[in-house]
Amino acid sequence: MSDKPSEERSDQEPSVPDDVWEQFARDSERDIRGSAPKEPSARARMVSERLRRQDEQGIRPDGWRTGPATDGRKSRRRRWWAILGVPLAIVLAVVAMRPSLLPGDPFGADHSGAGAGGSALPAETERPTGAPSTAAPDTPTIDRPFAGSPAARWADGAAGIVPPEAKAVGTRTKAQVAQALQQTKALLVDANIDPDTLLGGNPETALSVLDPQQPKMLDDARTSLSKPDQEHDPLRLFSRFDPDEVRLVGDVVKTRGRMTFKAGDQASVVIHADYTFVYPVSRGDSPEVTRTIVRRVLDLELPDPAKYRVTPGKLSVARYDQDLGNSACGVYDGFLHPHFDSQGPTGAPANGPTTDPYDRSRDIGHSDNESCGVVSRT
């Protein structure tokens, strides 16, 4: 067989250039290296082993946007909380507003003051236009002596007596007016809030601010304290209870009122004080609590000693009126005598009108002192 045809084919096929063959060889070698199996790193082997074990235990890894994986028990708990959450929130809100709904006093809260009757009232700056609204019906107790009273929102004791900012009046300087305002507060506190005075003691601080040169005033006050009778009644100026008859409940006297001042007719400054005090009391070990309400209106003067025969720095009394709510009529032993629902009538029969002792919008004066009426609430 002849070789000629083969030689002819070889001569006709074009030869591959050397540079093309070199490029082909390099590309082939790179592809072979890229497709060859690689030995995994130590970290890769650890991750693969952890995933394999989780897969055997049925644990799903956390998803990249899905949050932590949960099991059925946690999901069920969340569903139960979703069902109970709204009613529980409502119950907590109600208890927060009315903790007295819970038995006992689990929070150790004092429900005798503003918390029992809402937020505390702002200070009284002018005469009210009417009586305070009726509080929610409630019975006072040893733990909550102001329950059911408008006074639950009043200030405690001396905190309710806030003198106005002083300024010069006539010949009286700002400093002198400021001193007179502070003396008025001291008199009111000692006469109506101090525990010793309330339990029958002598209000020496109150007496010390009065001018001894005012005819009969100081002498009559001291006589009324030591030998009380109808003509000399200390209750016209001081609040006092018989410690053998009643005891004060707690250490808070509720107070509300206002103090103002203006120029007087006798080269003086006149201070007008109008305050109501509420006293919770009980008898002995009895749990029964009642309240006595006393309103006092005082006009005190600080005359100019350069023009009048007065003691510098002492106050003269121009007016003193009182309204006693829930105290026995016709008893002049120098003490307030509260009435308790569990006891029968005491003192003389009431012969005056029925009034609201919390109504600070009405006037009180000497005409009120001539009769003894009935209070509409305590």
Side-chain angles (χ1 to χ4, degrees):
M1 189 171 180
S2 175
D3 294 331
K4 187 175 181 178
S6 298
E7 293 176 358
E8 293 177 354
R9 286 193 296 273
S10 298
D11 294 339
Q12 295 174 355
E13 294 177 356
S15 61
V16 179
D18 291 341
D19 58 342
V20 175
W21 276 109
E22 290 175 1
Q23 182 65 40
F24 174 75
R26 285 194 299 270
D27 293 344
S28 298
E29 182 179 0
R30 183 189 61 212
D31 293 341
I32 291 172
R33 286 198 304 267
S35 60
K38 296 181 180 179
E39 180 69 21
S41 66
R43 176 174 176 80
R45 290 195 299 272
M46 292 173 62
V47 172
S48 298
E49 178 63 19
R50 177 169 58 81
L51 294 176
R52 183 185 65 79
R53 292 178 179 176
Q54 289 180 348
D55 187 61
E56 290 177 353
Q57 297 174 7
I59 300 176
R60 296 177 58 193
D62 294 350
W64 175 52
R65 292 180 184 267
T66 59
T70 58
D71 60 22
R73 289 171 295 178
K74 291 182 179 179
S75 297
R76 285 192 293 272
R77 285 198 295 268
R78 288 179 178 177
R79 285 195 294 269
W80 276 110
W81 277 112
I83 294 172
L84 296 174
V86 174
L88 182 59
I90 294 174
V91 171
L92 291 175
V94 172
V95 170
M97 292 185 292
R98 292 291 303 276
S100 60
L101 296 175
L102 292 177
D105 192 6
F107 304 112
D110 177 13
H111 305 303
S112 64
S119 59
L121 290 176
E124 184 179 287
T125 57
E126 58 185 14
R127 182 173 179 165
T129 58
S133 59
T134 302
D138 209 343
T139 302
T141 64
I142 298 296
D143 294 329
R144 302 174 63 241
F146 298 101
S149 167
R153 300 180 61 195
W154 293 7
D156 293 353
I161 303 176
V162 182
E165 183 178 355
K167 65 179 181 179
V169 175
T171 61
R172 304 291 83 197
T173 66
K174 179 179 179 180
Q176 290 171 329
V177 173
Q179 180 183 4
L181 292 172
Q182 290 301 323
Q183 287 176 318
T184 300
K185 177 173 180 175
L187 185 154
L188 291 168
V189 170
D190 194 43
N192 302 282
I193 298 174
D194 183 84
D196 290 338
T197 301
L198 296 181
L199 294 178
N202 284 346
E204 291 300 332
T205 298
L207 295 172
S208 69
V209 305
L210 300 181
D211 190 347
Q213 295 197 61
Q214 183 178 6
K216 297 186 64 176
M217 183 65 217
L218 197 56
D219 290 339
D220 285 352
R222 292 192 180 279
T223 299
S224 70
L225 291 166
S226 60
K227 299 178 181 179
D229 55 31
Q230 186 171 358
E231 184 178 354
H232 302 89
D233 187 358
L235 299 181
R236 293 173 183 169
L237 279 174
F238 313 112
S239 297
R240 306 166 81 234
F241 295 89
D242 185 349
D244 294 331
E245 178 184 353
V246 300
R247 66 184 179 94
L248 301 174
V249 177
D251 56 1
V252 172
V253 174
K254 287 295 184 177
T255 307
R256 186 157 183 82
R258 64 193 182 278
M259 189 187 305
T260 59
F261 65 93
K262 64 179 182 179
D265 296 332
Q266 300 179 355
S268 66
V269 56
V270 176
I271 299 172
H272 178 76
D274 182 346
Y275 287 90
T276 301
F277 305 92
V278 182
Y279 307 97
V281 294
S282 64
R283 294 179 298 165
D285 296 330
S286 171
E288 184 180 9
V289 176
T290 190
R291 291 181 287 255
T292 291
I293 302 95
V294 176
R295 181 180 173 191
R296 299 197 182 277
V297 177
L298 296 173
D299 285 339
L300 303 170
E301 284 189 308
L302 183 66
D304 186 348
K307 297 183 178 181
Y308 297 93
R309 184 178 295 177
V310 295
T311 304
K314 298 294 184 177
L315 300 177
S316 299
V317 180
R319 172 194 176 188
Y320 56 100
D321 291 317
Q322 77 286 337
D323 188 23
L324 311 180
N326 189 24
S327 183
C329 298
V331 179
Y332 300 101
D333 61 356
F335 297 115
L336 295 161
H337 294 278
H339 172 74
F340 292 84
D341 291 339
S342 63
Q343 69 177 161
T346 59
N351 59 359
T354 298
T355 58
D356 182 353
Y358 292 100
D359 184 2
R360 294 185 38 76
S361 67
R362 63 187 179 89
D363 290 322
I364 64 171
H366 293 292
S367 60
D368 294 321
N369 300 330
E370 296 172 359
S371 63
C372 183
V374 178
V375 292
S376 59
R377 56 178 171 172
T378 61

